[in-house]
Amino acid sequence: MKDATCDIVKDLLPLYADEVCSPASRRFVEDHITKCDDCRMALAELEAALPLSPSVLETNAREGSGLRSLSKVWSRSKMMAFMKGAVITVSICAVLVSGYIGLFQWNIRPVPSDIIEITDVSRLSDGRIVYHVSITDEYDLNRTRSETDENGNKYVIPLRPVVKKKKIVDVGLFNMYYTFDEGENNAYQSNDGNGREIEALYFGSKKDSVLVWKKGMELPPANAEVEANFAQ
């Protein structure tokens, strides 16, 4: 009797696996395979050999779509995190570079007048005023800038960055002769003077400077060595 029942169940197994048998047949098969190892094994082999059912395929498709959506969200999240990190990194680098330039390269700090020494103020044979500048604190001088105010006062302003550097050689903007000539006077008259000449020459900032020369000052002729240095 068992063999006949097994034969009936095995005939029903393909319908059972495809989920197209009647509810009564499904209950009959399920009741039998709980007691019969051979039929249960036959069902397992049949299910392994058959293609996935539409319901399973649909479930797998939904799960795959969900995984793809999750993957896209994860990829977007990683990209956003990367972009934020890149922006933060670039911003930090920009701040560091700006700070370095501001401290070590940007010449914005005028040299105070108490370390400026002006000597050998004289006049060359071609009419130019010549004078020697010495910055006495042993640090380098990076740049000078000229300004002239509405009263005809010309300022040669020595500038350094916030962080000073020790001088490497003995000659430079911190230790050299400077000149002032008629060409500068003419340029001032043309641009700002309205016919007025430069009245005085200072070395330093407008608020803190050393007088080099003023109009009416009698200057000695430059000595032979200085004259030779500036000979045309």
Side-chain angles (χ1 to χ4, degrees), residues 9-215:
V9 168
K10 287 178 180 178
D11 288 340
L12 291 172
L13 284 180
L15 299 176
Y16 178 86
D18 284 341
E19 300 180 358
V20 294
C21 62
S22 66
S25 296
R26 174 170 291 278
R27 287 193 297 270
F28 176 73
V29 171
E30 290 174 349
D31 182 64
H32 177 77
I33 62 177
T34 58
K35 304 171 184 176
C36 178
D37 293 339
D38 290 341
C39 290
R40 186 166 57 251
M41 186 176 298
L43 176 62
E45 292 174 354
L46 180 62
E47 288 178 337
L50 290 174
L52 295 175
S53 65
S55 62
V56 174
L57 289 174
E58 183 180 355
T59 300
N60 289 347
R62 287 197 301 268
E63 291 177 352
S65 177
L67 290 174
R68 286 193 296 272
S69 298
L70 182 60
S71 176
K72 290 180 180 178
V73 171
W74 174 248
S75 298
R76 286 196 296 269
S77 298
K78 288 196 297 183
M79 180 58 69
M80 290 298 295
F82 173 79
M83 292 178 65
K84 289 180 181 178
V87 170
I88 292 173
T89 301
V90 170
S91 299
I92 291 174
C93 290
V95 170
L96 292 176
V97 170
S98 299
Y100 174 82
I101 293 174
L103 290 174
F104 295 92
Q105 301 293 325
W106 194 13
N107 298 302
I108 58 174
R109 188 176 182 182
V111 174
S113 62
D114 59 354
I115 58 172
I116 298 173
E117 285 188 359
I118 305 296
T119 57
D120 294 344
V121 183
S122 54
R123 191 178 295 275
L124 296 168
S125 58
D126 60 9
R128 286 180 293 169
I129 296 172
V130 63
Y131 57 100
H132 186 270
V133 174
S134 177
I135 308 297
T136 62
D137 66 350
E138 301 299 319
Y139 286 95
D140 200 0
L141 179 61
N142 303 70
R143 176 179 171 236
T144 62
R145 183 182 76 242
S146 296
E147 292 182 5
T148 307
D149 63 21
E150 65 279 3
N151 297 317
N153 297 309
K154 180 179 179 64
Y155 298 87
V156 179
I157 305 171
L159 297 170
R160 287 171 169 166
V162 174
V163 178
K164 301 179 293 185
K165 294 180 182 179
K166 283 284 188 178
K167 62 182 182 181
I168 300 175
V169 296
D170 291 330
V171 178
L173 293 176
F174 58 88
N175 181 28
M176 63 176 283
Y177 280 92
Y178 289 73
T179 61
F180 169 71
D181 60 23
E182 197 66 27
E184 295 179 70
N185 227 330
N186 294 337
Y188 171 71
Q189 291 180 37
S190 299
N191 296 328
D192 305 297
N194 295 321
R196 184 176 184 177
E197 296 181 344
I198 292 176
E199 301 290 331
L201 175 64
Y202 295 88
F203 199 89
S205 66
K206 291 182 178 181
K207 295 181 179 180
D208 184 24
S209 58
V210 177
L211 176 66
V212 177
W213 164 88
K214 65 180 179 179
K215 192 174 181 179

